[in-house]
mmCIF file of all heavy atoms in Angstrom:
data_model
loop_
_atom_site.group_PDB
_atom_site.id
_atom_site.type_symbol
_atom_site.label_atom_id
_atom_site.label_comp_id
_atom_site.label_asym_id
_atom_site.label_seq_id
_atom_site.Cartn_x
_atom_site.Cartn_y
_atom_site.Cartn_z
ATOM 1 N N SER A 1 160.698 80.652 164.029
ATOM 2 C CA SER A 1 161.447 81.325 163.099
ATOM 3 C C SER A 1 162.285 80.557 162.159
ATOM 4 O O SER A 1 162.337 80.796 160.966
ATOM 5 C CB SER A 1 162.456 82.362 163.829
ATOM 6 O OG SER A 1 161.657 83.262 164.608
ATOM 7 N N ALA A 2 162.963 79.442 162.692
ATOM 8 C CA ALA A 2 163.675 78.599 161.896
ATOM 9 C C ALA A 2 162.784 77.791 160.991
ATOM 10 O O ALA A 2 163.171 77.567 159.845
ATOM 11 C CB ALA A 2 164.334 77.538 162.848
ATOM 12 N N CYS A 3 161.629 77.396 161.429
ATOM 13 C CA CYS A 3 160.613 76.758 160.528
ATOM 14 C C CYS A 3 160.135 77.664 159.315
ATOM 15 O O CYS A 3 160.122 77.185 158.216
ATOM 16 C CB CYS A 3 159.421 76.231 161.380
ATOM 17 S SG CYS A 3 158.163 75.402 160.449
ATOM 18 N N MET A 4 159.908 78.876 159.714
ATOM 19 C CA MET A 4 159.526 79.884 158.716
ATOM 20 C C MET A 4 160.642 80.050 157.644
ATOM 21 O O MET A 4 160.459 80.171 156.413
ATOM 22 C CB MET A 4 159.121 81.173 159.259
ATOM 23 C CG MET A 4 157.848 81.212 160.150
ATOM 24 S SD MET A 4 156.352 80.911 159.036
ATOM 25 C CE MET A 4 156.250 82.529 158.322
ATOM 26 N N ASN A 5 161.854 79.977 158.177
ATOM 27 C CA ASN A 5 163.036 80.108 157.323
ATOM 28 C C ASN A 5 163.142 78.816 156.286
ATOM 29 O O ASN A 5 163.447 79.048 155.249
ATOM 30 C CB ASN A 5 164.353 80.287 158.010
ATOM 31 C CG ASN A 5 165.518 80.455 157.222
ATOM 32 O OD1 ASN A 5 165.613 81.332 156.317
ATOM 33 N ND2 ASN A 5 166.463 79.587 157.273
ATOM 34 N N ASN A 6 162.754 77.712 156.855
ATOM 35 C CA ASN A 6 162.676 76.517 156.106
ATOM 36 C C ASN A 6 161.735 76.618 154.851
ATOM 37 O O ASN A 6 161.998 76.311 153.717
ATOM 38 C CB ASN A 6 162.361 75.342 156.918
ATOM 39 C CG ASN A 6 163.454 74.853 157.928
ATOM 40 O OD1 ASN A 6 164.459 75.414 157.844
ATOM 41 N ND2 ASN A 6 163.096 73.964 158.744
ATOM 42 N N THR A 7 160.501 77.108 155.282
ATOM 43 C CA THR A 7 159.501 77.252 154.208
ATOM 44 C C THR A 7 159.991 78.242 153.227
ATOM 45 O O THR A 7 159.662 78.198 152.031
ATOM 46 C CB THR A 7 158.088 77.643 154.787
ATOM 47 O OG1 THR A 7 158.090 78.923 155.532
ATOM 48 C CG2 THR A 7 157.721 76.600 155.810
ATOM 49 N N ARG A 8 160.633 79.393 153.635
ATOM 50 C CA ARG A 8 161.080 80.273 152.685
ATOM 51 C C ARG A 8 162.038 79.692 151.741
ATOM 52 O O ARG A 8 162.014 80.013 150.504
ATOM 53 C CB ARG A 8 161.775 81.502 153.477
ATOM 54 C CG ARG A 8 162.199 82.648 152.489
ATOM 55 C CD ARG A 8 162.982 83.711 153.434
ATOM 56 N NE ARG A 8 164.111 83.246 153.998
ATOM 57 C CZ ARG A 8 165.383 83.152 153.406
ATOM 58 N NH1 ARG A 8 165.402 83.557 152.092
ATOM 59 N NH2 ARG A 8 166.371 82.738 153.899
ATOM 60 N N GLN A 9 163.019 79.098 152.265
ATOM 61 C CA GLN A 9 164.145 78.468 151.360
ATOM 62 C C GLN A 9 163.453 77.378 150.463
ATOM 63 O O GLN A 9 163.861 77.335 149.271
ATOM 64 C CB GLN A 9 165.182 77.743 152.260
ATOM 65 C CG GLN A 9 166.009 78.692 152.980
ATOM 66 C CD GLN A 9 167.188 78.052 153.630
ATOM 67 O OE1 GLN A 9 168.031 77.425 152.911
ATOM 68 N NE2 GLN A 9 167.288 78.036 154.963
ATOM 69 N N LEU A 10 162.621 76.579 150.970
ATOM 70 C CA LEU A 10 161.914 75.572 150.096
ATOM 71 C C LEU A 10 161.065 76.285 148.928
ATOM 72 O O LEU A 10 161.088 75.865 147.799
ATOM 73 C CB LEU A 10 160.945 74.595 150.904
ATOM 74 C CG LEU A 10 161.868 73.721 151.772
ATOM 75 C CD1 LEU A 10 160.813 73.028 152.739
ATOM 76 C CD2 LEU A 10 162.598 72.689 150.985
ATOM 77 N N SER A 11 160.352 77.341 149.325
ATOM 78 C CA SER A 11 159.499 77.999 148.261
ATOM 79 C C SER A 11 160.274 78.721 147.225
ATOM 80 O O SER A 11 159.935 78.663 146.134
ATOM 81 C CB SER A 11 158.544 78.926 149.001
ATOM 82 O OG SER A 11 159.229 80.020 149.697
ATOM 83 N N LEU A 12 161.386 79.276 147.699
ATOM 84 C CA LEU A 12 162.258 79.895 146.680
ATOM 85 C C LEU A 12 162.881 78.775 145.774
ATOM 86 O O LEU A 12 163.069 79.064 144.465
ATOM 87 C CB LEU A 12 163.478 80.694 147.430
ATOM 88 C CG LEU A 12 162.993 81.998 148.064
ATOM 89 C CD1 LEU A 12 164.243 82.567 148.810
ATOM 90 C CD2 LEU A 12 162.472 82.945 147.160
ATOM 91 N N ALA A 13 163.204 77.692 146.314
ATOM 92 C CA ALA A 13 163.774 76.607 145.477
ATOM 93 C C ALA A 13 162.703 76.159 144.370
ATOM 94 O O ALA A 13 163.096 75.801 143.268
ATOM 95 C CB ALA A 13 164.310 75.506 146.358
ATOM 96 N N VAL A 14 161.494 76.091 144.953
ATOM 97 C CA VAL A 14 160.330 75.723 144.016
ATOM 98 C C VAL A 14 160.242 76.663 142.825
ATOM 99 O O VAL A 14 160.112 76.264 141.618
ATOM 100 C CB VAL A 14 159.007 75.602 144.648
ATOM 101 C CG1 VAL A 14 157.857 75.470 143.766
ATOM 102 C CG2 VAL A 14 159.046 74.394 145.666
ATOM 103 N N LEU A 15 160.349 77.987 143.122
ATOM 104 C CA LEU A 15 160.261 78.950 142.111
ATOM 105 C C LEU A 15 161.520 78.942 141.152
ATOM 106 O O LEU A 15 161.444 79.188 139.890
ATOM 107 C CB LEU A 15 160.076 80.356 142.748
ATOM 108 C CG LEU A 15 158.748 80.592 143.493
ATOM 109 C CD1 LEU A 15 158.646 81.897 144.181
ATOM 110 C CD2 LEU A 15 157.491 80.400 142.525
ATOM 111 N N MET A 16 162.706 78.635 141.676
ATOM 112 C CA MET A 16 163.801 78.617 140.909
ATOM 113 C C MET A 16 163.744 77.417 139.957
ATOM 114 O O MET A 16 164.214 77.429 138.815
ATOM 115 C CB MET A 16 165.072 78.558 141.797
ATOM 116 C CG MET A 16 165.407 79.819 142.554
ATOM 117 S SD MET A 16 166.645 79.523 143.822
ATOM 118 C CE MET A 16 168.063 79.258 142.781
ATOM 119 N N TYR A 17 163.199 76.269 140.495
ATOM 120 C CA TYR A 17 163.087 75.161 139.567
ATOM 121 C C TYR A 17 162.106 75.542 138.445
ATOM 122 O O TYR A 17 162.377 75.152 137.313
ATOM 123 C CB TYR A 17 162.402 73.879 140.415
ATOM 124 C CG TYR A 17 162.178 72.659 139.643
ATOM 125 C CD1 TYR A 17 162.902 71.629 139.632
ATOM 126 C CD2 TYR A 17 160.975 72.614 138.936
ATOM 127 C CE1 TYR A 17 162.718 70.405 138.958
ATOM 128 C CE2 TYR A 17 160.702 71.457 138.164
ATOM 129 C CZ TYR A 17 161.615 70.418 138.258
ATOM 130 O OH TYR A 17 161.246 69.226 137.464
ATOM 131 N N ALA A 18 160.977 76.115 138.744
ATOM 132 C CA ALA A 18 160.139 76.547 137.677
ATOM 133 C C ALA A 18 160.737 77.339 136.587
ATOM 134 O O ALA A 18 160.485 77.291 135.506
ATOM 135 C CB ALA A 18 158.864 77.145 138.280
ATOM 136 N N GLN A 19 161.587 78.279 137.180
ATOM 137 C CA GLN A 19 162.237 79.214 136.190
ATOM 138 C C GLN A 19 163.148 78.479 135.273
ATOM 139 O O GLN A 19 163.300 78.746 134.168
ATOM 140 C CB GLN A 19 163.071 80.261 137.012
ATOM 141 C CG GLN A 19 163.705 81.335 136.187
ATOM 142 C CD GLN A 19 164.369 82.369 137.031
ATOM 143 O OE1 GLN A 19 164.951 82.142 138.076
ATOM 144 N NE2 GLN A 19 164.327 83.630 136.573
ATOM 145 N N ASP A 20 163.853 77.390 135.757
ATOM 146 C CA ASP A 20 164.762 76.571 134.893
ATOM 147 C C ASP A 20 163.982 75.682 134.017
ATOM 148 O O ASP A 20 164.636 75.130 133.120
ATOM 149 C CB ASP A 20 165.668 75.821 135.888
ATOM 150 C CG ASP A 20 166.732 76.675 136.503
ATOM 151 O OD1 ASP A 20 166.900 77.835 136.034
ATOM 152 O OD2 ASP A 20 167.367 76.276 137.428
ATOM 153 N N TYR A 21 162.689 75.391 134.303
ATOM 154 C CA TYR A 21 161.970 74.432 133.454
ATOM 155 C C TYR A 21 160.724 75.092 132.827
ATOM 156 O O TYR A 21 159.699 74.593 132.953
ATOM 157 C CB TYR A 21 161.527 73.294 134.315
ATOM 158 C CG TYR A 21 162.632 72.329 134.679
ATOM 159 C CD1 TYR A 21 163.450 72.547 135.789
ATOM 160 C CD2 TYR A 21 162.982 71.203 133.943
ATOM 161 C CE1 TYR A 21 164.515 71.692 136.166
ATOM 162 C CE2 TYR A 21 164.008 70.372 134.227
ATOM 163 C CZ TYR A 21 164.747 70.610 135.262
ATOM 164 O OH TYR A 21 165.776 69.848 135.713
ATOM 165 N N ASP A 22 161.022 76.175 132.185
ATOM 166 C CA ASP A 22 160.010 76.867 131.315
ATOM 167 C C ASP A 22 158.782 77.219 132.064
ATOM 168 O O ASP A 22 157.647 77.115 131.648
ATOM 169 C CB ASP A 22 159.643 76.101 130.114
ATOM 170 C CG ASP A 22 160.846 75.759 129.126
ATOM 171 O OD1 ASP A 22 161.706 76.741 128.959
ATOM 172 O OD2 ASP A 22 161.018 74.658 128.607
ATOM 173 N N GLU A 23 158.937 77.711 133.363
ATOM 174 C CA GLU A 23 157.789 78.155 134.186
ATOM 175 C C GLU A 23 156.799 76.983 134.488
ATOM 176 O O GLU A 23 155.698 77.269 134.713
ATOM 177 C CB GLU A 23 157.110 79.301 133.540
ATOM 178 C CG GLU A 23 158.010 80.545 133.276
ATOM 179 C CD GLU A 23 158.515 81.235 134.501
ATOM 180 O OE1 GLU A 23 157.791 81.526 135.319
ATOM 181 O OE2 GLU A 23 159.712 81.249 134.665
ATOM 182 N N VAL A 24 157.380 75.819 134.510
ATOM 183 C CA VAL A 24 156.385 74.669 134.836
ATOM 184 C C VAL A 24 156.837 74.192 136.285
ATOM 185 O O VAL A 24 157.887 74.048 136.683
ATOM 186 C CB VAL A 24 156.672 73.442 133.801
ATOM 187 C CG1 VAL A 24 155.846 72.239 134.339
ATOM 188 C CG2 VAL A 24 156.148 74.006 132.476
ATOM 189 N N LEU A 25 155.816 73.949 137.143
ATOM 190 C CA LEU A 25 155.925 73.467 138.424
ATOM 191 C C LEU A 25 156.457 72.071 138.466
ATOM 192 O O LEU A 25 156.118 71.232 137.647
ATOM 193 C CB LEU A 25 154.713 73.649 139.201
ATOM 194 C CG LEU A 25 154.222 75.042 139.403
ATOM 195 C CD1 LEU A 25 152.801 75.019 140.029
ATOM 196 C CD2 LEU A 25 155.183 75.949 140.320
ATOM 197 N N LEU A 26 157.267 71.760 139.526
ATOM 198 C CA LEU A 26 157.718 70.399 139.674
ATOM 199 C C LEU A 26 156.705 69.525 140.195
ATOM 200 O O LEU A 26 155.684 69.941 140.784
ATOM 201 C CB LEU A 26 158.932 70.303 140.700
ATOM 202 C CG LEU A 26 158.662 70.420 142.122
ATOM 203 C CD1 LEU A 26 159.951 70.025 142.897
ATOM 204 C CD2 LEU A 26 158.215 71.856 142.535
ATOM 205 N N PRO A 27 156.752 68.150 139.984
ATOM 206 C CA PRO A 27 155.764 67.213 140.510
ATOM 207 C C PRO A 27 156.106 67.021 142.029
ATOM 208 O O PRO A 27 157.192 67.211 142.477
ATOM 209 C CB PRO A 27 155.950 66.028 139.801
ATOM 210 C CG PRO A 27 157.412 66.058 139.314
ATOM 211 C CD PRO A 27 157.725 67.460 139.109
ATOM 212 N N CYS A 28 155.077 66.582 142.783
ATOM 213 C CA CYS A 28 155.330 66.052 144.194
ATOM 214 C C CYS A 28 156.210 64.789 144.210
ATOM 215 O O CYS A 28 157.131 64.682 145.013
ATOM 216 C CB CYS A 28 153.996 65.701 144.781
ATOM 217 S SG CYS A 28 152.908 67.067 145.221
ATOM 218 N N ALA A 29 156.026 63.991 143.166
ATOM 219 C CA ALA A 29 156.871 62.758 143.071
ATOM 220 C C ALA A 29 156.631 62.240 141.717
ATOM 221 O O ALA A 29 155.613 62.429 141.003
ATOM 222 C CB ALA A 29 156.429 61.782 144.097
ATOM 223 N N TYR A 30 157.703 61.577 141.274
ATOM 224 C CA TYR A 30 157.618 60.813 139.903
ATOM 225 C C TYR A 30 158.640 59.556 140.023
ATOM 226 O O TYR A 30 159.551 59.536 140.786
ATOM 227 C CB TYR A 30 157.885 61.728 138.756
ATOM 228 C CG TYR A 30 159.311 61.918 138.399
ATOM 229 C CD1 TYR A 30 159.916 61.295 137.333
ATOM 230 C CD2 TYR A 30 160.205 62.780 139.207
ATOM 231 C CE1 TYR A 30 161.270 61.584 136.992
ATOM 232 C CE2 TYR A 30 161.405 63.046 138.873
ATOM 233 C CZ TYR A 30 161.975 62.398 137.774
ATOM 234 O OH TYR A 30 163.366 62.624 137.495
ATOM 235 N N ILE A 31 158.490 58.686 139.041
ATOM 236 C CA ILE A 31 159.295 57.550 138.928
ATOM 237 C C ILE A 31 160.417 57.825 137.901
ATOM 238 O O ILE A 31 160.082 57.920 136.715
ATOM 239 C CB ILE A 31 158.596 56.317 138.686
ATOM 240 C CG1 ILE A 31 157.523 55.937 139.789
ATOM 241 C CG2 ILE A 31 159.529 55.032 138.491
ATOM 242 C CD1 ILE A 31 156.690 54.825 139.507
ATOM 243 N N ASP A 32 161.695 57.811 138.306
ATOM 244 C CA ASP A 32 162.713 58.029 137.293
ATOM 245 C C ASP A 32 162.791 56.793 136.364
ATOM 246 O O ASP A 32 162.968 55.626 136.778
ATOM 247 C CB ASP A 32 163.990 58.110 138.083
ATOM 248 C CG ASP A 32 165.243 58.507 137.171
ATOM 249 O OD1 ASP A 32 165.321 59.571 136.554
ATOM 250 O OD2 ASP A 32 166.091 57.568 136.912
ATOM 251 N N GLU A 33 162.806 57.117 135.061
ATOM 252 C CA GLU A 33 162.753 56.021 134.071
ATOM 253 C C GLU A 33 164.026 55.360 133.953
ATOM 254 O O GLU A 33 164.139 54.152 133.687
ATOM 255 C CB GLU A 33 162.385 56.627 132.681
ATOM 256 C CG GLU A 33 161.089 57.262 132.577
ATOM 257 C CD GLU A 33 160.772 57.714 131.294
ATOM 258 O OE1 GLU A 33 161.741 57.872 130.388
ATOM 259 O OE2 GLU A 33 159.587 58.195 130.968
ATOM 260 N N THR A 34 165.143 55.978 134.317
ATOM 261 C CA THR A 34 166.517 55.303 134.265
ATOM 262 C C THR A 34 166.735 54.373 135.437
ATOM 263 O O THR A 34 167.118 53.207 135.176
ATOM 264 C CB THR A 34 167.614 56.308 134.252
ATOM 265 O OG1 THR A 34 167.450 57.196 133.036
ATOM 266 C CG2 THR A 34 168.968 55.740 134.115
ATOM 267 N N SER A 35 166.497 54.807 136.579
ATOM 268 C CA SER A 35 166.805 54.089 137.789
ATOM 269 C C SER A 35 165.522 53.274 138.347
ATOM 270 O O SER A 35 165.697 52.299 139.112
ATOM 271 C CB SER A 35 167.324 54.979 138.886
ATOM 272 O OG SER A 35 166.273 55.812 139.392
ATOM 273 N N GLY A 36 164.326 53.742 137.941
ATOM 274 C CA GLY A 36 163.178 53.089 138.495
ATOM 275 C C GLY A 36 162.823 53.468 139.866
ATOM 276 O O GLY A 36 161.865 52.992 140.439
ATOM 277 N N LYS A 37 163.553 54.479 140.442
ATOM 278 C CA LYS A 37 163.326 54.834 141.873
ATOM 279 C C LYS A 37 162.293 56.054 141.874
ATOM 280 O O LYS A 37 162.219 56.772 140.904
ATOM 281 C CB LYS A 37 164.648 55.360 142.458
ATOM 282 C CG LYS A 37 165.630 54.336 142.698
ATOM 283 C CD LYS A 37 167.007 54.873 143.232
ATOM 284 C CE LYS A 37 168.030 53.846 143.537
ATOM 285 N NZ LYS A 37 169.193 54.352 144.213
ATOM 286 N N THR A 38 161.653 55.987 142.898
ATOM 287 C CA THR A 38 160.545 57.220 143.095
ATOM 288 C C THR A 38 161.328 58.342 143.750
ATOM 289 O O THR A 38 162.023 58.223 144.714
ATOM 290 C CB THR A 38 159.529 56.723 144.099
ATOM 291 O OG1 THR A 38 158.747 55.688 143.461
ATOM 292 C CG2 THR A 38 158.584 57.956 144.284
#
């Protein structure tokens, strides 16, 4: 049940991110141009 709650919170966060970025999905990973960190 706790695991399912984790997936629920993460999936809602993914959809909220997309809503804030013109309905575009976030990447799995990317390199930040300022810091150079992944």
